Amino acid sequence: MGNRSGLTGSYSLALRATALANARLEDPADVWVLLADQPWLRDIATEADLHTLRVAGHRLREVFQTVTAGHEREAVDRLNGLLTRYRVRPTISGTYAGDWHIHVAAPGTPPVEYLAAAVWGLAVWLCQRGIDRLGVCAEPRCHNAFLDDSSNRCRRFCSDRCATRNHVRAHRARRRATHP
């Protein structure tokens, strides 16, 4: 599995980027769903933040789709563009000498910093684990972005549910072909 905490908790931040890429941000209530684990952030999110998160989510989705299409350099260029646009402002936090650690989006920061942290986490995770660890679900009715944290780098579906749905459909199609 490797080190999921890594620099600034890159795995959890990369999961934020994945959630943002998959989010349907059509109205402010959708922001509340996206930020369910960040109540301090939900309370300060505005209509302008909805638009910013929607645009960034679309661009993050394009990163995953470009990787899945086999265009790694283009995906890295797109992610670099997001890193340029949404810069992190790291701060050192802690209460005593053994507790110092870096935050890239601390409680009380605006949603754009949440976004910057997500983009940063995805970039760090990509560099630590490899670009082939980004994917888009192979289930024809899904297409969610996901992080492949499997031990053999072979994940094709965003969830067990999508994998099962796909395998059952393939099984039924084979049965129909052999038993008309």
Side-chain angles (χ1 to χ4, degrees):
M1 266 313 188
N3 180 2
R4 284 191 173 177
S5 61
L7 180 63
T8 68
S10 64
Y11 183 72
S12 63
L13 294 175
L15 286 175
R16 285 184 189 178
T18 306
L20 186 53
N22 291 330
R24 291 188 185 350
L25 296 172
E26 296 169 3
D27 60 56
D30 296 331
V31 174
W32 278 66
V33 171
L34 175 67
L35 304 176
D37 64 335
Q38 308 287 326
W40 53 269
L41 194 55
R42 284 189 327 212
D43 295 340
I44 64 171
T46 67
E47 190 76 31
D49 294 321
L50 170 63
H51 176 72
T52 300
L53 292 171
R54 182 185 306 128
V55 169
H58 177 73
R59 290 187 177 144
L60 281 165
R61 172 165 280 291
E62 289 174 343
V63 170
F64 283 89
Q65 291 169 331
T66 306
V67 169
T68 302
H71 306 292
E72 293 180 0
R73 180 74 243 170
E74 183 182 343
V76 168
D77 290 343
R78 287 175 185 265
L79 189 53
N80 278 333
L82 287 165
L83 285 167
T84 299
R85 179 159 176 99
Y86 305 105
R87 296 184 182 271
V88 295
R89 290 185 221 146
T91 58
I92 299 172
S93 183
T95 55
Y96 58 90
D99 184 39
W100 301 123
H101 54 280
I102 294 178
H103 279 279
V104 290
T109 58
V112 73
E113 290 193 29
Y114 170 92
L115 167 57
V119 170
W120 171 258
L122 185 62
V124 171
W125 198 79
L126 179 151
C127 291
Q128 288 176 339
R129 302 295 301 262
I131 198 165
D132 59 335
R133 296 298 191 140
L134 306 180
V136 175
C137 188
E139 167 56 36
R141 294 181 290 181
C142 179
H143 302 293
N144 275 338
F146 66 86
L147 300 174
D148 181 355
D149 59 354
S150 67
S151 59
N152 58 0
R153 298 175 183 252
C154 68
R155 190 167 163 191
R156 294 180 40 231
F157 301 98
C158 69
S159 66
D160 290 340
R161 181 178 180 196
C162 281
T164 300
R165 184 182 302 142
N166 188 273
H167 292 105
V168 167
R169 185 172 32 267
H171 171 74
R172 289 178 180 161
R174 285 191 304 273
R175 278 191 69 128
R176 279 192 300 272
T178 58
H179 298 76

